[in-house]
Amino acid sequence: MTAIIGCGNLIRSDDGAGPMLIRKLWELGVPEGVRLADGGTAGMDVIFQIGDAKELILVDACTSGAEPGTIFEVPGEEVEAPPLKEVNLHNIRWDNAIAMGRWLLKERFPKKVTVFLIEAENLEHGFGLSPAVEAAVERLARDLIQRLEEQQCRLS
Amino acid sequence: MSKQGVEVSKKMELKVHSLGRVEGDLDVRVAVEDGVVVDAWTEATMFRGFEIILKGKDPQAGLIVTPRICGICGGSHLTKAVYALDTAWHTEVPPNATLIRNVAQAAETIQSIPRWFYALFAIGLTHQNYASSDLYDEVVRRWAPFEGEHYAIGVTVSSKPVEIYAIFGGQWPHSSFMVPGGVVSAPTLSDITRSISILEHYRETWLEKILLGCSVERWLENKTWSDVLNWLDERAAHRNSDLGLFIRYSMDIGLDKYGSGPGRYLAAGSFPHPQKYRFPTIDGRNAALISRSGVYDGKTFHDFDQERIREDHTHSFFRGSGSLHPFVGVTDPIDPVEGQKEGKYTFAKAPRYEVPGMGAVSLEAGPLARQVIAGRPGAEEWQDYDPLFLNIIQEIGPSVMVRVLARLHEAAKYYLRMRDWLKQINLNEKFYIKPRELPEGRGFGATEAARGALMDWLQIKDGKIDNYQVITPTAWNIGPRDGQGQRGPIETAMIGVPVRNPEDPVELAHIAQSYDSCLVCTVHAYDAKSHRELAKYEVVKM
């Protein structure tokens, strides 16, 4: 099973890219065995939504200074963020969530973790994505579905 | 995404962290003189503009927006948002829907109890300041972050109750499944059985085995503080349970001696009776609640009346000074730098309640407040009457220990309530009755989030939201001084606290954590004479 978790806050404009991607995937339809979850801003619960997934895909917004709508693909091991001792429960980010998930789920932790980050343009209070981010969400959704379908073909 | 569109980066400076960022920051500044706190200020450094977002939107937008105000109690936000709409639109809510709303609300609260205790509060108890206690080694063995035996059990079990929420609500967090006139789910028998088995798992693996060391029923036989002390002595299993250890350790290290707070309490009440709140109204709410609402001023109980609430913003970063009822509340933020020139110091407003004969005062919200109100005599047979915590505050006074105890106590109570509600769901009856969407109206919805009273005021005009105001439990507790200069509850709780080591003021952290504000909290201690900063203490560090 592959779990895709979109993180972010819908009422902070482009920060909603993660949850909006989950909705988009839901609308487009994902192959069987793919689990979608809106992780929202609920820190630790992201970990519990990983469940028994073999593969984990996390999606979030970022501000690295790149062109808005730029999509980064980062292997989980590159961004996993121990030590956990610096984390607090109200401030768990996906990088902490990966590390914490590994601690908590132990051998049930997914073999492969990938983080997709979409460069945000606007993080003000409010609904709705900027055009560049919306296009990126659409692009990433279609690409993910294609990858998942190809993966399933290979497996079957 | 085409291959050209993908940039693979190995090292990035990422400034945006969606998870948790919105919960912002709370700075508690205290002035210490001769080892004792003599003054305190709570400063919320983050502006939350959801009232502005909601203005002019569809009346149901509150169901989507408010559950995203907070990543840890979104279900509670949904609960009060839906009752605000129910009262505004004069809906009929079928009993099944009320039962499911109650189950969901309680599920969120009981998940929060072990998570908050192990992952936030108990960590502070392993602080080396307490190494001289005879119980210290055992505390560390159980509660040390990540390594403690019960830490892992508690954190793991905390994921279970919200699975019940997800069964009925489709997802947790941030579900919007409660709608005016009911809920959108249509549960099956297997949903009910699965929910019951999750509850049983919670009871067997943690609640009775680890927390209580006895049955839920045995613990709930305790009606007074002396009952609790007798319970401790009754069996080794009681003494050695996490609750037993917590009480013994607290009395050993002095958590029963400080952090009392204002000694005045507010509960908005929760869990409407499924038959008695079929037609929700603002005025009919109190009489229909299983866990009652109310105010206790230290001597006398009063009925809760939302009309008596004001939000004072004299010391808050909002334009002007004043004290407005939330129906006419205004959210007009100003630049903090400008605000500081007028003596303002926080983005939180100061909620106050007009207590008959006392004027507008601050009130503590949270589990202790709820449990004190539960001790008010005169409950109907179907309402919660529980005199334990009224007795405890009368016998030994409120404190950090008592506040934590109240929260742990609720795990047992809510477990029983949830079992009962799940049994009452009638799968052959309705879960939703479509309401008429009225273009004008005002609504009030309230509930008890894990950390206290949570309320919405909604004003609808021309089919749109004209005004929407939310008061969170965190606002009740971290609110600043008001126009009369009276301190907020946490500010009050800090005064007089002895700080053993001003360079490492762990006592202040315990107080802040016992209120479990939904803001990441840092305590700064200053020397009252020299104004030198003594220490900065991250309160929620794991």
Side-chain angles (χ1 to χ4, degrees):
Chain A
M1 198 258 292
T2 301
I4 307 180
I5 305 178
C7 305
N9 196 336
L10 275 183
I11 57 175
R12 295 291 300 269
S13 305
D14 287 340
D15 194 31
M20 291 305 277
L21 178 98
I22 298 299
R23 291 183 186 196
K24 179 59 76 181
L25 290 170
W26 179 261
E27 281 166 24
L28 294 171
V30 287
E32 240 174 87
V34 177
R35 188 153 163 263
L36 300 175
D38 171 354
T41 55
M44 188 182 272
D45 291 283
V46 169
I47 302 154
F48 294 115
Q49 291 182 27
I50 296 169
D52 286 307
K54 295 252 183 311
E55 183 179 355
L56 169 66
I57 296 173
L58 283 165
V59 187
D60 198 0
C62 70
T63 51
S64 66
E67 194 68 22
T70 305
I71 299 167
F72 297 97
E73 178 180 351
V74 192
E77 55 269 27
E78 295 292 338
V79 286
E80 187 171 332
L84 288 168
K85 289 198 192 312
E86 293 305 312
V87 184
N88 70 63
L89 256 198
H90 295 249
N91 202 18
I92 289 185
R93 308 182 312 243
W94 43 259
D95 47 351
N96 309 125
I98 299 170
M100 188 131 184
R102 196 182 293 285
W103 166 75
L104 206 58
L105 299 172
K106 298 182 175 74
E107 71 281 1
R108 287 167 53 224
F109 190 74
K111 300 281 167 285
K112 186 179 174 203
V113 180
T114 314
V115 179
F116 287 93
L117 299 165
I118 301 174
E119 183 74 13
E121 182 174 350
N122 169 24
L123 294 167
E124 296 297 305
H125 295 96
F127 291 117
L129 304 177
S130 315
V133 174
E134 185 156 4
V137 165
E138 176 91 30
R139 221 162 67 229
L140 181 55
R142 292 187 187 278
D143 184 75
L144 280 174
I145 288 174
Q146 202 186 334
R147 287 190 196 199
L148 292 163
E149 280 168 351
E150 282 168 10
Q151 200 172 26
Q152 208 158 54
C153 285
R154 277 202 306 278
L155 291 175
S156 58
Chain B
M1 186 174 56
S2 65
K3 288 225 164 60
Q4 294 87 340
V6 180
E7 295 175 26
V8 179
S9 166
K10 293 209 165 183
K11 275 189 180 167
M12 273 190 301
E13 187 68 30
L14 293 166
K15 288 173 236 152
V16 171
H17 307 293
S18 311
L19 295 172
R21 185 194 54 224
V22 155
E23 280 149 349
D25 277 302
L26 171 68
D27 284 347
V28 181
R29 288 198 307 125
V30 302
V32 180
E33 198 175 302
D34 302 326
V36 175
V37 175
V38 293
D39 211 348
W41 301 264
T42 44
E43 305 173 349
T45 55
M46 165 117 188
F47 170 64
R48 294 195 296 194
F50 46 81
E51 286 93 350
I52 297 169
I53 295 174
L54 282 165
K55 203 172 174 78
K57 295 272 189 314
D58 181 285
Q60 297 192 70
L63 305 175
I64 312 287
V65 172
T66 70
R68 296 196 183 248
I69 289 174
C70 175
I72 43 186
C73 47
S76 306
H77 276 282
L78 179 63
T79 306
K80 50 62 175 159
V82 80
Y83 281 111
L85 272 163
D86 280 318
T87 52
W89 280 353
H90 310 299
T91 64
E92 177 180 356
V93 182
N96 271 340
T98 303
L99 290 167
I100 288 180
R101 290 176 181 186
N102 287 354
V103 165
Q105 169 72 81
E108 183 172 87
T109 302
I110 68 164
Q111 76 92 32
S112 186
I113 296 169
R115 190 173 296 182
W116 163 80
F117 181 74
Y118 294 99
L120 289 175
F121 188 83
I123 292 172
L125 304 180
T126 65
H127 193 283
Q128 63 210 16
N129 263 16
Y130 306 127
S132 59
S133 167
D134 290 342
L135 298 169
Y136 182 75
D137 289 347
E138 182 61 14
V139 164
V140 171
R141 193 185 72 74
R142 289 188 201 185
W143 300 337
F146 299 100
E147 282 127 35
E149 193 186 325
H150 294 182
Y151 176 92
I153 296 171
V155 168
T156 306
V157 86
S158 80
S159 72
K160 298 307 282 184
V162 289
E163 288 180 14
I164 301 175
Y165 198 108
I167 287 171
F168 296 111
Q171 71 173 61
W172 190 93
H174 311 311
S175 175
S176 298
F177 83 107
M178 302 179 198
V179 293
V183 293
V184 295
S185 43
T188 62
L189 185 59
S190 79
D191 291 334
I192 309 274
T193 5
R194 258 178 72 208
S195 302
I196 291 175
S197 70
I198 292 167
L199 267 183
E200 288 314 289
H201 173 83
Y202 181 85
R203 179 177 64 85
E204 283 163 17
T205 52
W206 177 68
L207 180 55
E208 291 189 342
K209 187 174 156 195
I210 304 282
L211 181 70
L212 301 175
C214 65
S215 70
V216 162
E217 290 79 6
R218 170 63 194 92
W219 166 256
L220 292 177
E221 282 169 19
N222 296 329
K223 301 296 177 201
T224 63
W225 177 239
S226 79
D227 286 351
V228 171
L229 295 175
N230 290 335
W231 170 86
L232 269 181
D233 289 337
E234 189 179 292
R235 289 178 56 196
H238 298 176
R239 223 168 19 256
N240 295 328
S241 68
D242 275 6
L243 193 67
L245 178 64
F246 172 71
I247 296 171
R248 291 185 294 134
Y249 188 64
S250 291
M251 296 201 285
D252 195 34
I253 65 174
L255 292 184
D256 57 335
K257 295 286 188 293
Y258 62 83
S260 58
R264 300 180 298 266
Y265 304 96
L266 161 81
S270 56
F271 310 132
H273 187 284
Q275 295 296 346
K276 296 180 195 299
Y277 209 49
R278 291 188 70 148
F279 299 94
T281 60
I282 300 177
D283 294 335
R285 186 174 173 276
N286 282 342
L289 294 172
I290 295 169
S291 293
R292 292 172 292 161
S293 59
V295 167
Y296 181 67
D297 66 16
K299 292 194 181 78
T300 313
F301 286 101
H302 304 274
D303 291 343
F304 169 68
D305 179 3
Q306 58 82 27
E307 285 289 343
R308 292 177 172 274
I309 292 172
R310 296 288 180 275
E311 279 201 287
D312 190 303
H313 60 276
T314 309
H315 294 279
S316 317
F317 298 135
F318 296 96
R319 197 163 306 287
S321 62
S323 195
L324 298 172
H325 185 272
F327 271 134
V328 293
V330 176
T331 303
D332 187 5
I334 58 170
D335 186 333
V337 177
E338 289 303 307
Q340 277 160 4
K341 291 176 190 159
E342 302 168 31
K344 295 172 184 278
Y345 59 92
T346 176
F347 268 115
K349 295 178 184 172
R352 292 292 183 266
Y353 189 93
E354 175 79 26
V355 174
M358 279 181 110
V361 295
S362 65
L363 300 172
E364 172 174 336
L368 177 57
R370 288 197 278 274
Q371 294 311 315
V372 168
I373 301 300
R376 184 181 188 177
E380 301 281 346
E381 176 262 322
W382 50 272
Q383 287 180 314
D384 178 35
Y385 170 66
D386 182 356
L388 177 60
F389 281 84
L390 180 61
N391 175 270
I392 291 180
I393 62 164
Q394 286 167 346
E395 291 290 324
I396 58 171
S399 61
V400 170
M401 175 185 83
V402 172
R403 195 169 292 119
V404 173
L405 205 54
R407 189 149 182 194
L408 296 173
H409 177 68
E410 288 187 333
K413 294 179 77 168
Y414 286 19
Y415 157 79
L416 284 181
R417 289 280 178 202
M418 288 175 74
R419 283 292 311 248
D420 186 37
W421 291 323
L422 284 166
K423 270 194 302 199
Q424 289 179 43
I425 294 170
N426 181 344
L427 296 170
N428 300 315
E429 292 289 336
K430 287 177 184 165
F431 290 83
Y432 172 68
I433 297 168
K434 193 172 168 49
R436 277 183 53 217
E437 301 188 10
L438 306 177
E440 313 283 328
R442 57 168 43 180
F444 169 72
T447 191
E448 288 285 331
R451 44 202 60 71
L454 177 58
M455 311 168 191
D456 276 8
W457 287 262
L458 161 70
Q459 189 92 37
I460 306 170
K461 209 174 144 187
D462 301 330
K464 297 269 192 293
I465 293 172
D466 190 47
N467 197 7
Y468 204 108
Q469 296 286 326
V470 182
I471 302 188
T472 61
T474 293
W476 280 105
N477 290 331
I478 69 156
R481 285 154 173 75
D482 54 34
Q484 269 71 52
Q486 305 175 88
R487 293 187 185 93
I490 291 183
E491 292 178 338
T492 306
M494 294 284 174
I495 306 295
V497 175
V499 178
R500 207 184 310 182
N501 174 8
E503 299 297 333
D504 190 6
V506 65
E507 297 87 350
L508 305 177
H510 295 322
I511 297 174
Q513 280 171 335
S514 75
Y515 281 96
D516 190 26
S517 84
C518 67
L519 299 166
V520 178
C521 177
T522 310
V523 176
H524 306 256
Y526 291 85
D527 185 280
K529 288 171 186 158
S530 68
H531 297 288
R532 185 173 64 93
E533 181 161 11
L534 299 169
K536 192 151 76 169
Y537 200 99
E538 289 276 351
V539 174
V540 282
K541 196 176 271 183
M542 283 175 64

